[in-house]
């Protein structure tokens, strides 16, 4: 049996039409939707602070509404998503209400929780979990600032359990991205938890599709080379306007073919797959997931047909006995503002503007140290500061100033300081009216681990009809 | 022999390989995939961790904040199966996605920037 798993969301904010278009254009068994980047959880934690019924990836509800016709015409289609974020139960309740309204009240929804460690964090610490920072090795106890969120990256196991309990839609909080694919593969192929090579191979497939179109032509180095009918390439930009989102066809031995729906733009070739294979990878001999320790070094990637790439050779070893934890804490406030600086001496004028802003902030009683006051003259190479300089002077630059301060009022004041430059700075400035930015809290990241035995994943499966009807808005 | 023929001739990494970069907290990864076996061998020889560190030098933290012992700021790994090299650049993101004041907080631009790394021409 070949299992076809698509991914049509690579982060919160990805194209809302991609899931619907993917299942319209291709027959798949599973649709996965990945919404949680490293810091998305802390943002969602803050959302939930303000509204206890929120804190999940609301994009998913919009997507679910768009998928109703597909769910009706393809009753075997299953969806696995980490859209639950900081509040999987609230997300599932809203999803249930959408399904009921559409006459799909019989659809069973699985909810995976247990990743949220914050409520019991001090108990874990008392029980000997030090939550040492990956890089600095400092124990969490040394941290003074308030913690916003702490989530363990759960694995494929609870997802497979939900599927085994007949869930058609599985909504999780924080799980490892690749596990969204490994869960269905493990369940459908009937693998054991010790089938390390199969788990490794499926993890590679999951890793390849987890960022959506980044494996099918998005962000591809050779974006301006298009495939021709004869299997060659020509100098023409890829059709990324209609880029297809990826599908992994996973065999019982775990090996997979990465492809995309027929008639879509972009390309799946050896190069796009290799690029995504190395994306965000550290030591390729030890790509760690909660499910398996994957060795990428012998992975081979072969184009077997147009937009079809076979991936083989992953080797699996038992995973570590701890879960990765993403923990975020408050660390002051930040804001950034832009303005266009045009014409002669534009770079010098932009720098002068930044000096003026800093001086006025000082006059107002706020001091920003150098590392908390960042000036970029975009158009001169400052996207990679210090790396290169344009040989000729540009005809315009965008001045971007970004600041950070422990006091919100200091950052608030900064956001007021760009507009006055229009009449009290150098000539040739525009774009200051685009709107004042608002200060936002900085959530600093504390990467750490927790012993697996401390964490209990919970799985709950019930039909949309059986959810209580009144949800708080 | 090859070396003596190529003295003085330079090419850029973009001639030999395609790239993809991403973030890992305050660290960046840079994957470099060779276009050919010859290119892969050439890169193994010339695209050292030191060469990558030198190229990206202005972006690293001026002081090492990490107390974890690291001999160097860039570590290189090989993926012979796809003829690629992977580099980990430690503490190069000015605080990473959460804290960095840079426009590019997530090392998105590193892969494009790396295409300009100069190397001795292929013999």
């Amino acid at each position: 049996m070949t299992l076809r798993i698509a991914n049509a969301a690579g982060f919160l904010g990805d194209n809302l039409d991609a899931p619907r278009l993917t299942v319209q254009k291709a027959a798949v068994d599973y649709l996965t939707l990945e919404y949680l980047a490293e810091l998305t959880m802390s943002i969602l934690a803050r959302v939930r602070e303000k509204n206890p019924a929120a804190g999940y990836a609301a994009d998913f509800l919009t997507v679910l509404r768009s998928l109703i016709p597909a769910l009706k015409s393809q009753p075997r289609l299953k969806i696995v998503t980490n859209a639950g974020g900081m509040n999987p139960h609230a997300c599932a309740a809203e999803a249930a209400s959408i399904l009921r309204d559409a006459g799909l009240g019989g659809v069973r929804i699985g909810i995976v929780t247990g990743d949220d460690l914050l409520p019991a964090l001090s108990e874990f610490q008392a029980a000997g979990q030090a939550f040492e920072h990956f890089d600095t090795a400092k124990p969490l106890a040394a941290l003074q600032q308030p913690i916003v969120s702490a989530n363990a990256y759960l694995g494929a196991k609870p997802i497979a359990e939900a599927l085994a309990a007949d869930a058609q839609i599985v909504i999780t909080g924080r799980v490892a991205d690749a596990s969204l694919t490994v869960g269905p593969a493990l369940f459908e192929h009937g693998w054991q938890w010790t089938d390390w090579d199969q788990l490794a191979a499926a993890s590679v497939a999951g890793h390849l599709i987890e960022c959506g179109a980044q494996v099918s032509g998005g962000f591809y180095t050779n974006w301006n080379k298009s495939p021709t009918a004869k299997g060659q390439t020509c100098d023409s930009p890829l059709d990324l306007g209609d880029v297809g989102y990826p599908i992994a066809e996973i065999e019982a031995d775990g090996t997979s073919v990465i492809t995309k729906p027929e008639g879509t733009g972009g390309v799946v070739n050896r190069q796009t797959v290799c690029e995504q294979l190395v994306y965000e990878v550290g030591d390729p001999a030890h790509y760690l997931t909660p499910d398996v320790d994957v060795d990428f070094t012998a992975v081979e990637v072969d184009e077997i047909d147009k937009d079809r790439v076979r991936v083989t050779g992953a080797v699996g070893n038992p995973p570590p006995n701890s879960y990765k934890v993403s923990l975020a804490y408050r660390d002051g406030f930040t804001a950034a503002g832009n303005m266009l600086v045009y014409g002669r001496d534009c770079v010098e004028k932009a720098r002068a503007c930044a000096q003026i802003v800093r001086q006025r902030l000082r006059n107002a009683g706020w001091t920003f140290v150098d590392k908390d006051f960042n000036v970029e003259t975009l158009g001169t190479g400052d996207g990679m500061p210090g790396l290169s300089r344009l040989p000729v002077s540009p005809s315009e630059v965008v001045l971007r100033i970004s600041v950070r301060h422990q006091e919100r009022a200091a950052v608030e004041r900064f956001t007021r300081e760009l507009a006055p430059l229009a009449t009290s700075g150098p000539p040739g400035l525009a774009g200051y009216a685009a709107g004042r930015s608002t200060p936002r809290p900085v959530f600093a990241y504390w990467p750490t681990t927790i012993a697996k035995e401390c964490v209990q994943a919970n799985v709950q499966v019930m039909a949309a009809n059986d959810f209580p009807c009144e949800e708080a808005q | 022999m090859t070396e003596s023929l190529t003295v003085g001739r330079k090419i850029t990494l973009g001639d030999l390989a395609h790239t993809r970069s991403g973030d890992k907290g305050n660290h960046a990864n840079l994957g470099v995939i060779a276009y050919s076996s010859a290119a892969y061998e050439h890169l193994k020889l010339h695209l050292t961790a030191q060469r990558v560190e030198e190229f990206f030098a202005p972006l690293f933290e001026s002081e090492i904040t990490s107390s974890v012992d690291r001999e160097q700021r860039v570590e290189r790994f090989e993926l012979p199966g796809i003829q690629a090299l992977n580099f980990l650049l430690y503490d190069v993101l000015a605080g990473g996605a959460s804290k960095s004041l840079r426009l590019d907080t997530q090392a998105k631009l590193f892969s494009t920037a790396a295409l300009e790394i100069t190397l001795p021409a292929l013999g």
Side-chain angles (χ1 to χ4, degrees), chain A residues 38-39 134-137 214-215 218-222 270-272 274-284 296-301 329 331 334 371-374 376 378 383-387 400 402-404 440 442-445, chain B residues 17-27 29 31-35 55-59 65-68 70 77-88 91 94 97-104 108-113 115:
Chain A
E38 263 174 7
L39 283 160
F134 264 169
D135 296 326
T136 63
Q214 252 197 178
V215 72
F219 219 85
Y220 172 34
T221 304
N222 294 307
R270 182 179 189 283
Q271 294 182 355
T272 64
C274 286
E275 284 190 15
Q276 192 57 23
L277 186 71
V278 295
Y279 180 63
E280 289 183 346
V281 166
D283 179 353
F296 280 13
T297 56
V299 167
E300 291 190 25
V301 167
Y329 60 93
D331 195 11
T334 187
K371 73 173 177 51
D372 288 342
F373 191 91
N374 192 43
E376 291 161 306
L378 303 176
M384 293 292 277
L387 223 59
R400 178 178 183 270
S402 48
V403 304
R404 185 169 51 204
R440 65 169 179 83
V442 173
F443 298 129
Y445 187 51
Chain B
H18 54 114
T19 53
R20 174 75 50 100
S21 57
D23 65 324
K24 297 180 73 63
N26 196 27
H27 318 311
N29 99 295
V32 177
I33 305 117
Y35 284 127
F55 183 80
F56 288 104
L59 291 153
T65 47
S66 166
S67 67
V68 173
R70 290 202 180 96
F77 304 93
E78 296 180 7
L79 290 92
I82 59 165
Q83 301 194 323
L85 299 173
N86 188 44
F87 297 87
L88 255 184
D91 295 312
S98 54
K99 287 181 74 174
S100 171
L101 297 180
R102 290 182 195 158
L103 186 66
D104 178 23
K108 294 287 180 192
L109 305 183
F110 281 57
S111 53
T112 301
L115 298 175

Side-chain angles (χ1 to χ4, degrees), chain A residues 145-308:
Chain A
Q145 290 99 320
I147 295 166
V148 184
S149 63
N151 295 78
Y153 282 76
L154 301 181
K157 206 170 207 165
I159 295 172
E161 281 172 23
L163 294 171
D166 273 336
Q168 190 180 349
I169 298 177
V170 180
I171 296 171
T172 75
R174 172 58 84 194
V175 298
D177 295 349
S179 300
L180 296 176
T181 297
V182 176
L186 181 120
F187 167 66
E188 298 287 346
H189 285 308
W191 295 332
Q192 301 301 306
W193 280 105
T194 48
D195 289 338
W196 306 121
D197 287 348
Q198 284 90 329
L199 293 171
S203 299
V204 169
H207 169 68
L208 287 172
I209 64 172
E210 81 190 34
C211 292
Q214 252 197 178
V215 72
S216 50
F219 219 85
Y220 172 34
T221 304
N222 294 307
W223 66 281
N224 52 359
K225 301 272 196 300
S226 284
T228 65
K230 290 178 178 168
Q232 310 284 311
T233 57
C234 64
D235 288 335
S236 168
L238 290 169
D239 173 18
L240 292 175
D242 284 311
V243 69
Y245 277 61
I247 298 166
E249 300 177 349
I250 304 178
E251 301 297 332
D253 65 356
T255 60
S256 59
V257 169
I258 306 300
T259 185
K260 66 184 182 69
E262 291 247 8
T264 55
V267 65
V268 177
N269 63 24
R270 182 179 189 283
Q271 294 182 355
T272 64
V273 172
C274 286
E275 284 190 15
Q276 192 57 23
L277 186 71
V278 295
Y279 180 63
E280 289 183 346
V281 166
D283 179 353
H286 298 284
Y287 180 82
L288 300 178
T289 82
D291 308 316
V292 59
D293 175 354
V294 190
D295 184 349
F296 280 13
T297 56
V299 167
E300 291 190 25
V301 167
D302 300 295
E303 263 173 57
I304 54 171
D305 208 340
K306 182 175 181 292
D307 293 317
R308 292 182 63 78

Side-chain angles (χ1 to χ4, degrees), chain A residues 93-119:
Chain A
E94 289 293 335
S97 146
I98 290 167
L99 292 165
R100 271 197 312 266
D101 290 350
L104 291 170
V107 168
R108 288 168 64 78
I109 301 176
I111 308 169
V112 173
T113 54
D115 59 301
D116 186 359
L117 307 178
L118 196 55

Side-chain angles (χ1 to χ4, degrees), chain B residues 30-117:
Chain B
L30 170 68
V32 177
I33 305 117
Y35 284 127
S36 68
S37 302
Y40 182 54
E41 294 307 317
H42 194 70
L43 293 179
K44 279 201 287 188
L45 207 57
H46 296 286
L47 192 64
T48 57
Q50 289 80 357
R51 181 72 191 93
V52 170
E53 180 176 341
E54 188 183 295
F55 183 80
F56 288 104
L59 291 153
F60 290 93
E61 306 277 353
S62 48
E63 61 199 271
I64 294 176
T65 47
S66 166
S67 67
V68 173
D69 226 13
R70 290 202 180 96
E71 285 174 17
Q72 52 199 35
R73 302 187 133 198
V74 176
E75 196 171 355
R76 186 179 93 166
F77 304 93
E78 296 180 7
L79 290 92
I82 59 165
Q83 301 194 323
L85 299 173
N86 188 44
F87 297 87
L88 255 184
L89 288 69
Y90 294 106
D91 295 312
V92 74
L93 290 181
S98 54
K99 287 181 74 174
S100 171
L101 297 180
R102 290 182 195 158
L103 186 66
D104 178 23
T105 58
Q106 292 174 288
K108 294 287 180 192
L109 305 183
F110 281 57
S111 53
T112 301
L115 298 175
E116 310 307 330
I117 296 176

